[in-house]
Amino acid sequence: MREVAPSRARVGRSGLLLEPMSAVPPSSSTHPETWKFGYPIYHAESRAQWRAWLEANHDVTPGVWLKSTWTRLNRQRVADMEAAGLMTDAGRRAVEVARGNGWWTILDPVEDLVEPRDLANALDADPAARIAWDEFPAGARKAMLWWVVSAARPDTRERRIDTIVAEAAEGRRAKG
């Protein structure tokens, strides 16, 4: 195996060093190469660049950081891609995983601004927090609702709710 420049080196799931993918254009941003959980960050400027990255990496990386999830709009895009014959088997597997683990619809109540019972109870227990919460713009409430529903552990969820209520009581939006 040839030596590969460290900045272009790729390691597959098996741990073997892979050749750089010359067919994949470099990322169009100055973000670091990886982010949380070691997922690569790739900023594609076109559908062709994104498809090239996926074709080169879908079977050697566990995921990619997109800052996106299964919103209704993204689910419609999946349906549109499937109808247009653009969906790959790897894409279908990602959809099945999301359906199986609950992430396919996790944002529905957030998009509908439905407060989880534990958050609603905590806000109702603090009148100042409730008033401020109700006056926050929809986008701010959605961001905080997402912060609550995306918590992986119950104690994390509880801390996030406590933070939201404390910040709202002071008239501030919690930063998740």
Side-chain angles (χ1 to χ4, degrees):
M1 184 176 289
R2 288 188 334 202
E3 273 199 42
V4 178
S7 65
R8 297 286 292 156
R10 295 185 321 125
V11 177
R13 287 185 184 164
S14 65
L16 295 174
L17 189 62
L18 303 172
E19 296 286 334
M21 299 307 300
S22 59
V24 179
S27 182
S28 298
S29 71
T30 58
H31 292 293
E33 290 187 19
T34 61
W35 195 72
K36 196 172 186 178
F37 308 117
Y39 287 170
I41 296 174
Y42 183 73
H43 176 195
E45 290 186 333
S46 69
R47 181 180 290 190
Q49 285 180 342
W50 179 231
R51 184 153 308 266
W53 189 94
L54 286 172
E55 287 174 1
N57 292 282
H58 81 274
D59 62 347
V60 295
T61 60
V64 63
W65 187 251
L66 295 174
K67 291 188 76 174
S68 182
T69 191
W70 299 110
T71 63
R72 287 184 182 115
L73 178 60
N74 286 341
R75 294 192 320 251
Q76 183 58 52
R77 288 178 175 142
V78 166
D80 293 346
M81 288 178 64
E82 189 69 62
L86 297 172
M87 184 63 70
T88 64
D89 287 340
R92 287 184 196 96
R93 283 191 301 274
V95 167
E96 288 308 310
V97 167
R99 285 181 173 146
N101 66 18
W103 282 78
W104 186 249
T105 57
I106 195 171
L107 271 180
D108 287 355
V110 171
E111 290 181 311
D112 294 336
L113 290 170
V114 174
E115 297 171 9
R117 179 57 31 211
D118 48 353
L119 174 61
N121 289 341
L123 288 166
D124 290 342
D126 187 325
R130 169 50 78 189
I131 290 167
W133 172 268
D134 289 343
E135 292 177 354
F136 290 151
R141 285 182 284 147
K142 285 179 183 179
M144 290 181 278
L145 287 169
W146 170 245
W147 196 42
V148 170
V149 303
S150 66
R153 299 186 337 223
D155 59 320
T156 302
R157 181 182 174 110
E158 186 176 332
R159 276 194 315 274
R160 289 177 180 182
I161 289 171
D162 291 346
T163 299
I164 288 169
V165 171
E167 290 294 306
E170 298 297 321
R172 295 184 300 259
R173 303 171 199 172
K175 307 276 193 246

